[in-house]
Amino acid sequence: MTEESKLAFQANKSANIIRNLCDLYGLLLQDAADIYYQSDTSELIEDGIADLHCRSDKYLATIIWDEYQERQNRLETYDDLPNIQSTNHLNKHSVNCFGTGPIGRG
């Protein structure tokens, strides 16, 4: 398969998944495209990970929708957390949340 044909296949696969998102969940085309291109699954499909491109478009649309719903639920959970505004008390000797070094360094 040439590089050009791979790109054409990927574009067609993406378009079909987006169309399935519209059909299955009543989404507008732009919303479905946004959900698709912001998903981790779309990156895996394009990278050829786990042969996801071999799965049906409808199946992949449901996986991407589930991923979107989970992300929305996490965002709602974070919205319920207290809003911490200031980090002025931190200095270059403060340790990051993993305890591995200064904040901003790995």
Side-chain angles (χ1 to χ4, degrees):
M1 185 179 270
T2 67
E3 188 64 30
E4 188 174 294
S5 61
K6 286 179 186 178
L7 292 174
F9 176 80
Q10 285 181 338
N12 188 47
K13 186 74 170 176
S14 297
N16 289 337
I17 294 168
I18 291 167
R19 188 187 72 233
N20 273 277
L21 284 167
C22 292
D23 294 345
L24 291 169
Y25 304 106
L27 301 173
L28 297 173
L29 180 60
Q30 184 61 50
D31 294 336
D34 288 345
I35 290 169
Y36 175 77
Y37 286 111
Q38 292 174 9
S39 72
D40 294 332
T41 304
S42 71
E43 291 180 34
L44 297 175
I45 293 167
E46 291 179 17
D47 292 342
I49 305 296
D51 291 331
L52 287 174
H53 61 278
C54 296
R55 305 286 181 158
S56 77
D57 301 331
K58 187 175 183 178
Y59 171 77
L60 292 170
T62 61
I63 296 298
I64 289 169
W65 179 254
D66 290 345
E67 181 183 331
Y68 170 74
Q69 291 294 309
E70 287 176 24
R71 189 179 323 117
Q72 293 303 109
N73 288 339
R74 280 195 309 265
L75 291 175
E76 288 173 7
T77 300
Y78 290 133
D79 286 343
D80 294 338
L81 294 175
N83 188 6
I84 300 172
Q85 295 291 327
S86 176
T87 57
N88 291 339
H89 63 282
L90 301 176
N91 61 41
K92 67 179 183 177
H93 301 291
S94 295
V95 175
N96 66 23
C97 63
F98 301 106
T100 57
I103 299 227
R105 303 195 194 285

